[in-house]
């Protein structure tokens, strides 16, 4: 009869310079057109909270990930973050782990919490698993993660880390079909089963070669649709964009507790 209305809400009031109410997370998307499986950050259907998207105009995968000079990316990123904040989003996130490069700048610019990269979870994973063991950072192109990326999200580059490149050390053509402009069709397409098979196999090999691993952190947003499949095989804790966004929403929209004594 009453639906899901929060009975703690009686009077409502406008938030200064904010247009919408009841918002969740704001997510900045790269200026690229390609699909994402459920679980990918650019696919809102699998998330149990509202997501508002905004495109970082002119910033594509090549400019953010591969170009050495990333300074031209900053202002479009800040503009997208401001738009999402003005819309009423309770926290700001982004869809690529390489947005870590700008964590400090965006957090300094806006007034809501900022979660620019899944790599923010690496220091937590290290504390949970012990300093003598390894945390594995899993992404498509680890050679593009610089010391600046790591330091910006609180990672000590000299700490006990191992890196896996799904598209560098291993072969995952279905990811390249989506993320590499030179290999992407006019209408981008990918097979879930082939992507899952290749990526799970790569993760199993990576873990077998690094016996001190105690956790994995998936940096790329397109990897988390396969997290459960990987975890069944390697039986390690996996931190992903999904775990980060769940945490981000729980911080800014704390749940009620119902129970009994």
């Amino acid at each position: 009869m009453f639906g899901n209305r929060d009975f703690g809400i009686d009077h409502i009031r406008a938030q200064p310079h904010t247009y919408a109410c009841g918002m969740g997370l704001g997510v900045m998307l790269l200026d690229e057109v390609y699909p994402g499986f459920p679980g990918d950050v650019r696919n809102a259907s699998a998330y149990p909270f509202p997501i508002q998207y905004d495109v970082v105009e002119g910033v594509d995968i090549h400019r953010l990930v591969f170009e050495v000079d990333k300074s031209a990316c900053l202002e479009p990123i800040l503009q997208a973050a401001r738009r999402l904040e003005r819309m009423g989003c309770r926290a700001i996130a982004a869809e690529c782990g390489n947005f870590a490069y700008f964590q400090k700048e965006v957090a300094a610019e806006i007034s809501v919490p900022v979660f620019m990269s899944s790599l923010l979870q690496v220091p937590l994973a290290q504390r949970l698993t012990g300093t003598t063991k390894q945390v594995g950072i899993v992404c498509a192109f680890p050679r593009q993660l610089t010391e600046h990326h790591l330091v910006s999200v609180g990672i000590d580059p000299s700490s006990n880390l191992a890196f896996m490149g799904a598209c560098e050390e291993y072969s995952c053509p279905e990811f390249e079909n989506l993320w590499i402009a030179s290999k992407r069709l006019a209408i981008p397409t990918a097979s879930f089963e082939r992507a899952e098979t290749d990526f799970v196999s790569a993760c199993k090999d990576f873990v077998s070669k690094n016996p001190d691993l105690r956790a994995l952190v998936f940096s790329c947003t397109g990897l988390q649709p396969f997290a459960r499949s990987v975890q069944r095989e390697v039986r390690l804790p996996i931190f992903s964009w999904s775990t980060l966004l769940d945490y981000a929403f729980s911080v800014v929209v704390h749940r009620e507790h119902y129970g009994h004594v």
Side-chain angles (χ1 to χ4, degrees), residues 80-152:
R82 294 185 197 112
R83 289 192 295 267
L84 289 167
E85 181 182 29
R86 193 175 184 191
M87 185 56 66
C89 295
R90 307 291 290 272
I92 305 298
E95 76 153 334
C96 175
N98 288 65
F99 275 104
Y101 197 91
F102 299 102
Q103 171 68 33
K104 293 181 179 180
E105 291 84 351
V106 180
E109 176 72 16
I110 63 175
S111 59
V112 299
V114 172
F115 300 83
M116 291 293 282
S117 175
S118 178
L119 296 175
L120 284 162
Q121 299 169 104
V122 170
L124 174 61
Q126 291 177 312
R127 296 300 181 273
L128 299 180
T129 58
T131 57
T132 63
K133 302 300 181 181
Q134 283 187 313
V135 169
I137 295 178
V138 180
C139 56
F141 310 104
R143 285 195 284 270
Q144 305 306 317
L145 287 178
T146 67
E147 182 173 307
H148 184 89
H149 288 91
L150 302 181
V151 171
S152 293

Side-chain angles (χ1 to χ4, degrees), residues 240-258:
S240 69
W241 274 94
S242 182
T243 61
L244 181 72
L245 297 189
D246 286 348
Y247 178 73
F249 186 74
S250 73
V251 168
V252 295
V253 185
H254 206 291
R255 71 179 182 90
E256 293 281 356
H257 294 89
Y258 300 97

Side-chain angles (χ1 to χ4, degrees), residues 153-211:
V153 291
I155 301 171
D156 178 358
S158 66
S159 59
N160 208 2
L161 299 169
F163 293 85
M164 174 191 146
C167 298
E168 289 181 352
E169 293 88 1
Y170 296 93
S171 176
C172 293
E174 299 305 304
F175 296 154
E176 296 178 2
N177 289 344
L178 300 178
W179 304 335
I180 304 297
S182 62
K183 298 184 179 181
R184 192 164 54 210
L185 298 176
I187 301 178
T189 183
S191 161
F192 185 92
E193 289 188 4
R194 288 196 293 269
E196 180 182 48
T197 297
D198 292 341
F199 184 57
V200 170
S201 175
C203 288
K204 287 172 64 178
D205 183 69
F206 174 62
V207 172
S208 71
K209 291 177 178 176
N210 295 272

